[in-house]
C-alpha cells in the first residue's frame, strides 16, 4: 500500500473525524458516542457540524482512542484514504 511518510496526525486538523464511521465490530465504544443510521447500522455519532462526537475539539484527539471503532483503527495515517480526506477538507484553489 502506498503511504505518504510526510503526513503525521500531529499536524492534521482531524480530517478523518468528519467521515462516517460504521461500527463493524464491538470495540467497546461507549454508547453515548453511538447512533443508528437510516439503514440500521451502528455508527459513531456525529455532531450537527459533522464532526465525530468522540473528538476532543481542543486537542483534535480522539477521547476514546483505545475503544475506537475498527474502521478508525484501519484508517492508515498517510494512506490513500487519509490523503483523500485531507484533500477534501482542504481543496486546492482553482484557477
Amino acid at each position: 500500500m502506498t503511504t505518504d511518510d510526510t503526513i503525521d496526525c500531529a499536524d492534521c486538523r482531524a480530517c478523518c473525524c468528519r467521515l462516517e464511521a460504521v461500527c463493524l465490530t464491538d470495540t467497546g465504544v461507549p454508547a453515548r458516542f453511538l447512533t443508528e443510521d437510516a439503514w440500521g447500522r451502528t455508527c459513531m455519532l456525529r455532531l450537527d457540524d459533522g464532526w465525530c462526537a468522540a473528538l476532543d475539539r481542543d486537542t483534535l484527539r480522539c477521547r476514546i482512542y483505545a475503544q475506537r471503532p475498527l474502521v478508525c483503527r484501519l484508517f492508515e495515517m498517510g494512506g490513500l484514504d487519509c490523503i483523500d480526506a485531507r484533500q477534501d477538507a482542504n481543496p486546492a484553489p482553482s484557477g
Side-chain angles (χ1 to χ4, degrees), residues 17-65:
C17 296
R18 293 185 62 94
L19 302 173
E20 182 173 28
V22 177
C23 298
L24 302 172
T25 62
D26 181 11
T27 59
V29 174
R32 71 182 180 276
F33 295 116
L34 297 174
T35 190
E36 189 173 291
D37 70 9
W39 298 275
R41 300 177 300 183
T42 301
C43 300
M44 289 299 294
L45 176 66
R46 294 194 306 174
L47 304 177
D48 289 340
D49 61 2
W51 290 98
C52 177
L55 178 68
D56 180 317
R57 300 296 278 273
D58 293 326
T59 64
L60 295 179
R61 300 282 185 200
C62 180
R63 294 184 287 177
I64 60 163
Y65 190 79

Side-chain angles (χ1 to χ4, degrees), residues 2-4 9 15 24 26 31 37-38 40 43 49-50 53 55-57 67 73 80 83 85-86 90:
T2 302
T3 60
D4 182 339
C9 289
C15 302
L24 302 172
D26 181 11
D37 70 9
C43 300
D49 61 2
L55 178 68
D56 180 317
R57 300 296 278 273
Q67 294 119 347
R73 294 168 190 259
L80 295 177
I83 292 168
R86 284 174 169 240
N90 302 300

Side-chain angles (χ1 to χ4, degrees), residues 91-95:
S94 60

